[in-house]
Amino acid sequence: MKIDILTLFPEMFKGFLSESIIARAIKEKKVEINIYDIREYSKDKHKKVDDYQFGGGEGMVLMPQPIFDAVDDLKKEDTKVILMTPQGIPYKQKLAYNLSNEKHLLIICGHYEGFDERIRSLADMEVSIGDFVLTGGELASMVVTDSIVRLLDGVIKDASHQNDSFNDNLLDYPVYTKPREYRGMKVPEVLLSGNHALIDEWRNKMKIERTKKRRPDLLKGDLYE
Ligand code: ADE
């Protein structure tokens, strides 16, 4: 899979691409991730990418030209173009699964002050990572990329994401490691029993209990389509 990201702040991606599971996935060629500087596509002699908005108002607006040219350059037949914006559809695990089956994603990071409305026409999908406003789409694009890359074949053990929160619209069950008792808090007996049928039953029960208590909205099941 290939993921191309269009941004005004390429430096923000350095740590993200060079650490942990993402770095390993790149090294092992499970994914190719390219960061493109929107400014490089500007035809303006000062590499300007934004301007005042028509009609007046605070803030600079990202101009269409650099983004249209970048998409013309990078979009191929099997490319899905995603625009990161708080006005997009809410990002969910189900969408992470669907996107992990694509061949090529081109992610456009929106601008803190806004982008020319015509840029929307380039996107196959507009995605929001939550009902809050970030200074730009960069962190959002990293969130989306991270959640997709970990689902790609061979990036983490299959079993690790089979139990993820949100699969089956349920939160994950609690897990414990050594020691068996810490500051008076004990590991539940059942986990030490060696009885795997009982352990599975307990884990399922915990998933349901936890979801009922913390995220009853998930149990309606329609949020993750
Ligand atoms: N850009 C700014 N805020 C965002 C959000 N919540 N989701 C996606 N992109 C964004």
Side-chain angles (χ1 to χ4, degrees), residues 124-166:
D124 296 306
M125 187 183 277
E126 296 182 25
V127 173
S128 164
I129 62 157
D131 292 342
F132 44 81
V133 182
L134 301 164
T135 54
E138 282 71 21
L139 289 170
S141 75
M142 289 185 235
V143 167
V144 167
T145 300
D146 186 284
S147 66
I148 292 169
V149 171
R150 69 186 283 284
L151 296 175
L152 298 177
D153 277 349
V155 172
I156 56 175
K157 289 197 194 97
D158 269 357
S160 301
H161 53 73
Q162 268 156 19
N163 292 322
D164 280 347
S165 286
F166 307 120

